[in-house]
């Protein structure tokens, strides 16, 4: 059996059935093996997007995906997609073709390059993956197999750098026998605490549950979560990454919190005296820059199965944070079994903010219409991202996804295509700036059956979130952030003409007449809706609560 065949079959047993990527010399054997072994290989038009396709596909299907790219420039293009998956903890496998071992000698001679398109991929990727493997002989292959056989499925972001000559190597029978490792089962431990939880719970008058992306998305766990949070009668607020847990029918589910999401949830957090944080990272856009302003009177129980995250948050919040190194879903069940619950949910007088900002109202109406159609929503970066989650907060809409931690421009088109290829109805929401980053992938929309993908473009002729920073620091001197004909302006372009050049049926509207276009967009075979909005619109934030301006 050829090594490339073995790798495809090995990862197939670990749940990887689909790969996205770009054909190239050093990865050609792996792509051929994927096709031969009845795995799906879907060609993308820029290696950067293969990871974004995988990201979006996992978000809607919960199935890990793979990315295939070739050496040198192919790999370097793929890095952004790899980083998006890594920083968001997306289970995925990135297999990258490397030059032949005999030509991969630049490191040995301490020079820039020895072979053709030679780049030390693994040295870069070890910082952007949970596990990084350099495979150039049987010994290194066996080491990887033994390590990954500890789990039934891929549960992390993996990077595999495979030398071209070894991908063609024919494994001998005795070598294949050595590669049949046994899984080491993990033992489940009982939860033990070194503080009096019952006393802490009893003394608290205003408790809040905070849920993030680290909570298990398994359907069984989510069903249990809904039951527990309903019966415990404790207000539940969510990070953007925890949007999949939001249940609009559960009165205890308040909404999203964070410095970009004004509204009720932030008030609950700021007034609380005890926070249970489940699977959150407490990053800047969640808690602000000055941690002493975030829920200043609250004790924080920080539940996370990553000890490094606990160490980081303990440094940020000091003695008022207690780290609990457990899985979030396990600890929630533990609280419930201890019969720790409130008699009634406490309330406050705040209401979700009524936005004067038309993009939020506009997106909110679209999301309300979308909710009847069961779409998965993929938002892009910048002002569009903040507006989308603010709108979702108003409409109490779940299943809104994005490149949460590196906020990749151009993400939503690729991610929504990846999702649609898993037979999921998907809606991409993107600004005119992000649109240009990966608009080449629009060519693949025609491969999607039954019109399962819709693209909403908010066109405000520039980068609104950057202009917001320039308003604050540079007296509204818009360099490289606004379309025009001046030397430092962004170039003018027609999004409609670009969409139509890919034979996509396109509607245009503005912030005054969009309402009568929404139904037509969703109920017909239109692919794209472009809404022109006022270029002076800005993102509303909560600097009053977290003592933090929105600009960076």
């Amino acid at each position: 059996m050829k090594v490339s065949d073995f790798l495809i079959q090995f990862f197939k047993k670990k749940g990887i059935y689909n790969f996205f990527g770009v054909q190239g010399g050093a990865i050609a054997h792996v792509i051929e093996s994927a096709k031969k072994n009845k795995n799906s290989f879907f060609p993308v038009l820029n290696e950067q997007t293969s990871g974004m396709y995988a990201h979006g596909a996992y978000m809607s299907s919960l199935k890990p995906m793979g990315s295939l790219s070739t050496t040198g420039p192919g790999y370097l293009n793929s890095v952004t997609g790899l980083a998006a998956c890594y920083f968001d903890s997306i289970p995925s496998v990135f297999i990258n073709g490397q030059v032949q071992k005999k030509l991969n000698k630049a490191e040995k001679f301490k020079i820039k390059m020895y072979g053709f398109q030679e780049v030390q991929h693994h040295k870069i990727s070890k910082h952007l993956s949970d596990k990084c493997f350099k495979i150039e002989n049987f010994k290194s292959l066996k080491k990887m197999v033994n390590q990954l056989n500890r789990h039934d499925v891929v549960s992390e972001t993996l990077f595999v750098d495979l030398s071209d000559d070894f991908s063609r190597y024919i494994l001998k029978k005795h070598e294949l026998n050595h590669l049949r490792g046994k899984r080491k089962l993990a033992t489940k431990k009982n939860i033990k605490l070194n503080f009096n939880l019952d006393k802490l719970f009893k003394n608290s008058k205003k408790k809040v549950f905070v849920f993030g992306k680290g909570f298990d998305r398994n359907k069984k766990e989510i069903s249990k979560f809904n039951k527990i949070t309903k019966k415990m009668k404790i207000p539940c607020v969510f990070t953007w990454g925890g949007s999949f847990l939001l249940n609009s029918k559960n009165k205890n589910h308040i909404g999203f919190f964070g410095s970009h999401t004004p509204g009720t949830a932030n008030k609950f957090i700021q007034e609380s005296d005890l926070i249970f944080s489940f699977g959150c990272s407490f990053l800047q856009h969640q808690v602000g820059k000055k941690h002493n302003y975030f829920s200043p009177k609250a004790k924080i129980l920080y539940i996370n199965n990553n000890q490094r995250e606990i160490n980081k948050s303990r440094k940020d919040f000091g003695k008022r944070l207690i780290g609990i190194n457990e899985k979030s879903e396990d600890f929630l069940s533990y609280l419930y079994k201890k019969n720790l619950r409130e008699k009634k949910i406490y309330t406050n007088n705040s209401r979700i903010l009524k936005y004067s900002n038309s993009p939020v109202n506009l997106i909110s109406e679209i999301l309300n219409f979308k909710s009847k159609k069961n779409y998965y929503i993929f938002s892009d970066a910048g002002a569009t991202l903040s507006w989308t989650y603010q709108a979702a907060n108003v409409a109490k809409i779940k299943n809104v996804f994005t490149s949460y931690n590196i906020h990749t421009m151009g993400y939503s088109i690729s991610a929504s295509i990846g999702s649609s290829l898993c037979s999921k109805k998907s809606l991409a929401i993107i600004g005119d700036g992000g649109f240009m980053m990966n608009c080449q992938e629009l060519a693949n929309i025609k491969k999607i059956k039954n019109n399962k993908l819709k693209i909403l473009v908010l066109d405000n002729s520039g980068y609104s979130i950057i202009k917001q920073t320039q308003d604050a620091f540079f007296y509204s001197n818009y360099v490289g952030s606004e379309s025009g004909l001046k030397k430092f302006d962004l170039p003018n372009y027609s999004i409609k003409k670009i969409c139509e050049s890919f034979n996509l049926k396109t509607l245009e509207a503005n912030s005054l007449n969009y309402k009568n276009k929404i139904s037509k967009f969703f109920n017909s075979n239109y692919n794209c809706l472009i809404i022109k909005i006022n270029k002076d619109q800005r993102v509303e934030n909560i600097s009053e609560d977290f003592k933090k301006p929105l600009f960076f």
Side-chain angles (χ1 to χ4, degrees), residues 478-532:
Y478 301 137
V479 176
S481 59
E482 187 169 77
S483 298
L485 297 175
K486 297 176 184 177
K487 182 178 180 180
F488 297 110
D489 285 342
L490 294 168
N492 291 311
Y493 48 85
S494 169
I495 294 174
K496 184 181 180 183
K497 287 182 179 179
I498 293 170
C499 291
E500 289 178 341
S501 73
F502 290 104
N503 295 318
L504 301 179
K505 200 170 179 183
T506 305
L507 274 171
E508 276 191 312
N510 57 47
S511 56
L512 298 177
N513 68 2
Y514 68 89
K515 292 186 179 182
N516 61 357
K517 303 286 180 77
I518 296 175
S519 178
K520 191 175 181 180
F521 175 55
F522 281 104
N523 292 327
S524 67
N525 60 349
Y526 281 95
N527 305 108
C528 304
L529 172 60
I530 304 164
I531 302 179
K532 191 77 176 176

Side-chain angles (χ1 to χ4, degrees), residues 149-375:
N149 268 337
R150 295 171 184 170
H151 304 279
D152 283 336
V153 296
V154 170
S155 58
E156 299 174 300
T157 304
L158 308 178
F159 180 81
V160 179
D161 196 32
L162 177 65
S163 65
D164 182 26
D165 50 335
F166 189 62
S167 72
R168 315 175 211 168
Y169 175 76
I170 305 299
L171 292 165
K172 299 175 179 60
K173 188 175 180 180
H174 74 275
E175 290 175 324
L176 284 169
N177 290 334
H178 281 297
L179 293 174
R180 291 171 185 158
K182 294 181 179 180
R183 183 185 171 215
K184 297 179 181 178
L185 296 172
T187 55
K188 195 171 182 179
K189 59 180 181 177
N190 293 324
I191 293 176
K192 294 181 179 180
L193 303 176
N194 58 2
F195 62 95
N196 192 330
L197 176 62
D198 298 69
K199 182 179 178 181
L200 202 61
F201 195 94
K202 184 180 178 180
N203 291 340
S204 168
K205 303 300 180 186
K206 295 182 177 181
K207 306 170 187 67
V208 170
F209 281 168
V210 178
F211 293 97
K213 186 181 173 295
F215 201 94
D216 195 338
R217 285 187 64 197
N218 179 286
K219 287 184 178 179
K220 184 179 177 181
E221 292 295 344
I222 292 178
S223 177
K224 190 194 300 184
F225 161 83
N226 283 322
K227 175 186 173 183
I228 292 175
T229 54
K230 188 174 183 179
K231 290 190 175 182
M232 288 189 75
K233 292 184 171 62
I234 295 174
C236 301
V237 302
F238 306 87
T239 67
W240 291 356
S243 74
F244 63 92
L245 292 167
L246 179 66
N247 185 339
S248 59
K249 295 178 181 179
N250 190 330
K251 293 180 180 179
N252 300 339
H253 290 194
I254 308 303
F256 304 130
F257 81 97
S259 60
H260 289 230
T261 322
T264 309
N266 284 322
K267 291 294 184 183
F268 270 95
I269 283 184
Q270 290 305 88
E271 294 174 3
S272 69
D273 57 21
L274 181 60
I275 293 175
F276 290 82
S277 168
F278 297 90
C280 301
S281 296
F282 279 176
L283 300 177
Q284 178 187 314
H285 58 278
Q286 295 166 354
V287 300
K289 292 180 179 178
K290 298 179 179 180
H291 300 106
N292 55 317
Y293 286 118
F294 177 77
S295 192
K297 297 178 182 179
K299 197 84 173 175
I300 302 171
L301 300 188
Y302 188 82
I303 303 104
N304 199 304
N305 63 344
N306 186 330
Q307 185 60 48
R308 292 176 182 175
E309 289 284 353
I310 293 174
N311 295 343
K312 181 270 295 182
S313 294
R314 188 179 285 139
K315 184 178 184 297
D316 288 342
F317 291 95
K319 293 181 180 179
R320 69 184 178 115
L321 184 140
I322 299 173
I324 301 171
N325 190 3
E326 300 287 347
K327 288 184 177 179
S328 296
E329 54 277 8
D330 290 345
F331 194 78
L332 182 64
S333 296
Y334 172 77
L335 290 176
Y336 185 68
K337 288 174 184 177
K338 281 179 69 67
N339 206 32
L340 295 174
R341 59 198 71 183
E342 297 286 70
K343 293 180 180 179
K344 64 177 182 178
I345 188 169
Y346 92 84
T347 59
N348 63 32
N349 296 321
S350 63
R351 295 180 180 180
I352 286 185
L353 189 64
K354 296 293 183 182
Y355 287 89
S356 58
N357 211 330
S358 65
V360 177
N361 299 329
L362 180 158
I363 297 171
S364 180
E365 289 184 50
I366 290 172
L367 295 187
N368 273 320
F369 192 93
K370 172 250 51 137
S371 65
K372 302 170 187 175
K373 304 290 183 179
N374 297 317
Y375 277 81

Side-chain angles (χ1 to χ4, degrees), residues 57 60 75 136 144 156 164 194 207 244 385 406 439 453-454 480 504 513:
S60 65
Y75 162 77
E136 55 185 9
M144 181 194 77
E156 299 174 300
D164 182 26
N194 58 2
K207 306 170 187 67
F244 63 92
L385 179 59
I406 58 170
C439 62
L453 175 61
K454 301 285 185 180
L504 301 179
N513 68 2

